[in-house]
Amino acid sequence: MSANLAEQFSRLPDLLAAHMLLVAAALAAGAAISLPLGILCARSPRLRGPAVGFASTIQTVPALALLALMVPLVGRIGFLPAFLALTLYSMLPMLRNAVVGLAGVDGAVREAARAVGMTPAQSLWKVELPLAAPVILAGVRTATVWVVGMATLATPVGASSLGNYIFSGLQTRNWTAVLFGCVASALLALALDQLLRALESGVARRRPARAAGAAAGFAALILAAIAPALLPASSSAPAAGHAAVASGPAPSLAGRRVTVGGKPFTEQYVLAHLIAGVLEDAGAQVRLREDLGSTIAFDALIRDEIDLYVDYTGTIWASVMNRDDAAGRDAMAVRVAAWLLDQHGVTDLGRLGFENAYGFAVTRAAAQENSLASVADLNRLDGLSIGGDPEFFGRPEWIAARDAYGLQATRTRPMDSTFMYGAVRDGAVDAITAYTTDGRIDAFDLVLLADPAGALPPYDAILLLSPAAGADRALTDALRPLLGAIPPGAMRRANAMVDLEGESPEAAAAFLASEIGISGEPAAP
Amino acid sequence: MAVVQLRNVSKAFAGRPAVADVSFSVAEGETVALVGESGCGKTTTLKMINRLIEPDSGELMLFGEPAEAAPAPLLRRRIGYVFQEIGLFPHLTVAENIGITPALLGWDKARIAARVDALLDMVRLGASRRGAMPGELSGGQRQRVAIARALASQPSLLLMDEAFGALDPLTRHDLRSDLKAIQAEAGFAIVLVTHDMAEAAILGDRILVMQEGRVLQDAAPAELIARPADDYVAHLLAAPEREAAAFAAARRGHG
Ligand SMILES: Nc1ncnc2c1ncn2[C@@H]1O[C@H](COP(=O)(O)OP(=O)(O)OP(=O)(O)O)[C@@H](O)[C@H]1O
Ligand SMILES: [Mg+2]
């Protein structure tokens, strides 16, 4: 078994447990709402239209959008918004099948139930529900398969799931991880589906033993998978062990729990691991919350849900401060820091030393052929198409660049950032809005076009701390060695290790740490 | 004391009268047969007696009290009902179907089992069919289970809607005499709906002839045959004789 595959297996217990916990909780809550609601609807048909209509409407909202919408609604990231979205999503099949199943019970049989002396409740429990059970269970089955699949999309709102394999694998071009996540979630859906099918046929054929066996299997599978999540975390202890054997003075952050956030792309994974290493050396217990959506990470920070993460001045300037005017690199850094502290109590500890800006990139061959040197020169190309991450084309700087260089007629092709470098290399698009620290710029022989109008703002990497974390002297002291320590070349090489050489983000972080002289070893006195 | 008493009971469906101004009573141990054309309101009348259908107007007394005095489910546990559509519970076994009302009344298991065995014997279904599902039975066998179910809780009143319709003539004959025998012993009253005039005359102490929701005539069989209220009643009551004549003619034709 390759090291990569072994690495994926080692993450499985935690991610599977988190995934199952999410699925089981959402299904339980969904069933607890839908089944009684279905019974009410069967009793009073006036309720049926609105209830089924509501559930159907939820179903038409794209799953990812529904998950993302829950974050502002509940005002936090993590398990809760994912749980709520999945619960809503699971309702339609269960509600619809409960309504249809109960309505399908023969009227003569319901009348017979009254005639033998049953109360309405007895008729429901002894006659109508048993007769509708196969249809109702089929609805539970559908909901289960849907929710297992949809739970993989919970990763960007900060809930761990098997989707972590897929999202981080996609960003780091680790196709083994992507495939692993897909297969694991498909197998899980299949296993649960088969158990529910056995339960359903046991109920339909009135084999109580078979039905009970399947139900027990279903419960056991869920419990076994969830168990690691419910047991006290024993795996996050290595830092404490390390500290215990250290002979020097007690580490400054001993016992402190620190949550490091990150957005879903390679550089962020590498930086998150780098920071985690520094903090663990100081004795902290670090928890990583990677794969947070761009603005979700910031929202989590101001609510103290994560302690720190790395953002970029231009992102804060445009997406958080909603400014669309230009500013020089240093001026922007100063104003961003002041604004963050003033408006949100967020501490901008300082710049890491490199910029990860957007830059228009073309192949060297295309640049030479059409003598492209500046963004304005792109107008020489017929039917110009530009690829970029979906976020970029929604930002003010795209509007600014478009208007400054007359790119109005350009076809924009939003795509995942992982794919855009290959797309320009292979000629699928003429230019891309590259990240200037991406290792693939050198590797694919791309050139960055000049921006004489200064339309693209600076993107200095800055270390942001939540209001609580910013007040922690020991923590800020431990992090300070990172400031100004990472030159652009080192960052680009670390990114290339992951994106081009298939190394893990941890390995790239270790390389970066030794490169900038803050290696995992405790500093010599 | 009258077990059932209807006074000026009416029921309309969507403005169309199904039962209009019907009055009659049934004494303890008595059997009353409801006859009449299809759609004349027999089933509606029967269902109003155990309150499956609530009348629009009129008064219903059950066991000497106004029908609304007790909760309907409790009343129904004292009244056996055999449906025209049979209405067995498809998810319960034959034994569970028969034992359902005793179970609702809280009888213990042994007593229910003994009762179920006695009834299976009475309706001539072997004890081997105890565990069968209704779907595995023939139409006639299902009807016999329905009759057994209606009798299970030793009711004071038995309502039967074409309860013998799906049975072969021999079983029908046997079941009728058995029913008469148990009735003589247990003393419950019966209201039965039938299209078979011979059956009405054999089982009924009285026959009620209905037409378009109204009672045309209410009399003992002999009285009814001797003095029919009008041509319609006379024609209806002559049906068995017309059939016998037709049967005799067929036999001659083949003989
Ligand atoms: N639930 C109902 N809704 C509307 N109309 C009904 C309903 N039940 C009965 N009716 C109508 O009331 C009238 C009497 O019906 P009922 O079932 O009492 O007839 P019946 O004498 O039992 O007929 P049959 O011998 O065919 O069983 C019929 O015209 C029927 O269409
Ligand atoms: Mg009828």
Side-chain angles (χ1 to χ4, degrees):
Chain A
M1 188 161 60
S2 80
N4 190 350
L5 200 57
E7 158 72 16
Q8 306 317 326
F9 267 109
S10 75
R11 296 163 72 193
L12 188 60
D14 283 350
L15 293 183
L16 184 64
H19 198 93
M20 285 291 270
L21 190 62
L22 197 54
V23 167
L27 280 177
I33 299 168
S34 316
L35 301 184
L37 192 59
I39 292 167
L40 274 180
C41 287
R43 296 269 143 142
S44 60
R46 245 181 311 157
L47 203 65
R48 192 176 310 169
V52 176
F54 169 76
S56 307
T57 309
I58 297 272
Q59 212 57 234
T60 62
V61 179
L64 196 55
L66 186 63
L67 279 157
L69 280 173
M70 282 301 143
V71 175
L73 227 57
V74 302
R76 54 178 307 147
I77 59 159
F79 183 83
L80 188 64
F83 161 74
L84 288 177
L86 292 181
T87 300
L88 284 173
Y89 211 69
S90 72
M91 278 177 58
L92 180 66
M94 295 199 272
L95 178 64
R96 195 181 46 202
N97 280 40
V99 169
V100 169
L102 286 169
V105 175
D106 186 2
V109 172
R110 261 181 289 156
E111 192 171 49
R114 293 169 66 209
V116 299
M118 290 189 191
T119 61
Q122 287 169 331
S123 168
L124 180 68
W125 285 104
K126 291 173 190 282
V127 176
E128 294 167 63
L129 282 178
L131 287 174
V135 181
I136 295 175
L137 271 174
V140 174
R141 243 178 77 196
T142 307
T144 303
V145 173
W146 284 6
V147 168
V148 167
M150 184 178 164
T152 59
L153 299 177
T155 299
V157 298
S160 283
S161 74
L162 293 173
N164 287 24
Y165 283 119
I166 299 169
F167 280 87
S168 63
L170 190 61
Q171 292 306 325
T172 57
R173 300 174 66 80
N174 186 342
W175 305 123
T176 308
V178 173
L179 204 62
F180 195 92
C182 293
V183 170
S185 110
L187 284 179
L188 179 62
L190 267 175
L192 293 176
D193 186 55
Q194 283 306 312
L195 278 171
L196 282 173
R197 189 196 293 272
L199 177 64
E200 193 182 312
S201 83
V203 167
R205 295 207 212 119
R206 309 185 204 298
R207 302 266 155 71
R210 182 169 174 178
F218 189 70
L221 188 62
I222 289 179
L223 275 179
I226 291 177
L230 299 180
L231 294 173
S234 53
S235 55
S236 55
H242 184 187
V245 294
S247 51
S252 53
L253 290 175
R256 170 92 158 82
R257 288 172 178 276
V258 183
T259 305
V260 177
K263 305 192 207 186
F265 55 88
T266 301
E267 181 170 295
Q268 288 273 327
Y269 298 132
V270 174
L271 290 173
H273 283 289
L274 177 72
I275 294 169
V278 168
L279 294 176
E280 278 171 358
D281 284 345
Q285 291 188 21
V286 178
R287 182 157 164 248
L288 290 183
R289 292 289 288 275
E290 297 165 296
D291 296 321
L292 300 177
S294 183
T295 54
I296 288 175
F298 184 78
D299 290 343
L301 186 78
I302 60 181
R303 286 193 220 100
D304 286 318
E305 289 171 24
I306 57 175
D307 290 306
L308 66 145
Y309 81 106
V310 173
D311 213 323
Y312 306 89
T313 49
T315 306
I316 300 290
W317 183 261
S319 296
V320 182
M321 297 166 67
N322 291 317
R323 306 269 305 239
D324 55 8
D325 49 329
R329 191 172 166 183
D330 294 333
M332 184 180 283
V334 171
R335 281 198 251 161
V336 163
W339 186 89
L340 285 174
L341 191 63
D342 185 45
Q343 296 292 313
H344 295 289
V346 165
T347 300
D348 175 352
L349 204 59
R351 292 187 264 182
L352 295 179
F354 70 92
E355 216 191 335
N356 182 5
Y358 283 110
F360 286 87
V362 295
T363 59
R364 189 175 302 281
Q368 279 163 2
E369 193 177 322
N370 302 293
S371 12
L372 306 176
S374 126
V375 182
D377 300 334
L378 284 172
N379 278 311
R380 295 206 196 104
L381 303 175
D382 276 343
L384 171 67
S385 63
I386 300 184
D389 65 52
E391 209 178 319
F392 177 78
F393 293 117
R395 284 176 185 260
E397 58 239 51
W398 162 239
I399 315 285
R402 192 187 63 188
D403 294 348
Y405 298 111
L407 300 175
Q408 281 85 353
T410 306
R411 268 189 306 132
T412 58
R413 296 269 305 273
M415 62 182 74
D416 194 280
S417 57
T418 305
F419 299 120
M420 61 185 179
Y421 301 93
V424 69
R425 178 193 58 190
D426 302 338
V429 292
D430 298 312
I432 56 169
T433 55
Y435 305 141
T436 54
T437 48
D438 200 287
R440 285 165 286 193
I441 292 176
D442 295 339
F444 291 178
D445 205 14
L446 307 180
V447 292
L448 290 165
L449 299 178
D451 172 23
L456 298 175
Y459 278 90
D460 262 309
I462 46 178
L463 193 50
L464 302 185
L465 276 70
S466 75
D472 185 337
R473 264 301 292 277
L475 185 61
T476 54
D477 284 350
L479 291 167
R480 226 173 275 283
L482 286 168
L483 300 180
I486 308 175
M491 192 67 239
R492 204 176 300 149
R493 246 173 299 142
N495 287 339
M497 281 176 69
V498 177
D499 289 333
L500 295 168
E501 293 155 31
E503 295 286 350
S504 68
E506 291 91 324
F511 158 81
L512 195 55
S514 67
E515 204 45 23
I516 63 178
I518 51 162
S519 70
E521 254 83 40
Chain B
M1 181 197 71
V3 176
V4 182
Q5 188 164 20
L6 286 84
R7 256 187 241 128
N8 308 107
V9 169
S10 298
K11 176 75 192 178
F13 292 109
R16 285 193 46 224
V19 170
D21 207 22
V22 163
S23 302
F24 67 91
S25 63
V26 184
E28 244 170 288
E30 192 183 19
T31 301
V32 171
L34 295 183
V35 302
E37 275 176 61
S38 185
C40 71
K42 305 182 294 293
T43 299
T44 307
T45 304
L46 214 56
K47 285 184 179 171
M48 284 195 289
I49 294 175
N50 78 340
R51 297 182 57 191
L52 286 176
I53 294 177
E54 293 293 342
D56 295 336
S57 62
E59 207 183 308
L60 170 63
M61 303 276 286
L62 285 171
F63 313 114
E65 284 178 27
E68 306 79 46
L74 297 188
L75 273 180
R76 294 186 192 122
R77 292 174 197 173
R78 300 174 60 188
I79 306 176
Y81 196 111
V82 186
F83 282 94
Q84 196 168 1
E85 309 87 356
I86 301 178
L88 294 182
F89 301 117
H91 61 303
L92 301 182
T93 63
V94 164
E96 287 165 338
N97 262 286
I98 296 174
I100 190 86
T101 307
L104 292 173
L105 286 168
W107 291 18
D108 65 55
K109 286 212 167 72
R111 185 172 167 211
I112 296 176
R115 183 72 185 150
V116 167
D117 286 339
L119 286 164
L120 279 173
D121 192 44
M122 187 219 121
V123 298
R124 293 173 170 65
L125 276 172
S128 62
R129 307 318 300 261
R130 278 181 127 264
M133 304 307 286
E136 301 161 11
L137 302 179
S138 75
Q141 289 170 331
R142 278 199 286 261
Q143 198 152 49
R144 281 180 268 168
V145 175
I147 294 170
R149 182 176 71 180
L151 286 169
S153 66
Q154 295 170 328
S156 320
L157 172 62
L158 183 61
L159 306 175
M160 307 177 87
D161 199 345
E162 312 231 17
F164 304 114
L167 299 180
D168 64 277
L170 300 179
T171 309
R172 189 184 312 180
H173 177 266
D174 289 349
L175 269 186
R176 272 185 205 148
S177 17
D178 284 348
L179 187 65
K180 281 209 113 163
I182 328 173
Q183 187 189 20
E185 194 181 309
F188 50 83
I190 301 179
V191 180
L192 71 97
V193 169
T194 179
H195 284 297
D196 182 341
M197 290 308 134
E199 184 169 286
I202 295 164
L203 287 175
D205 298 314
R206 274 162 48 221
I207 298 178
L208 245 78
V209 184
M210 293 184 68
Q211 189 183 31
E212 290 176 7
R214 296 179 175 278
V215 178
L216 270 186
Q217 195 169 7
D218 174 357
E223 161 87 6
L224 207 66
I225 293 162
R227 277 177 290 279
D230 61 12
D231 288 352
Y232 174 75
V233 177
H235 188 68
L236 201 63
L237 285 167
E241 274 149 34
R242 277 199 304 280
E243 259 179 57
F247 183 69
R251 202 160 62 174
R252 274 195 306 279
H254 287 291

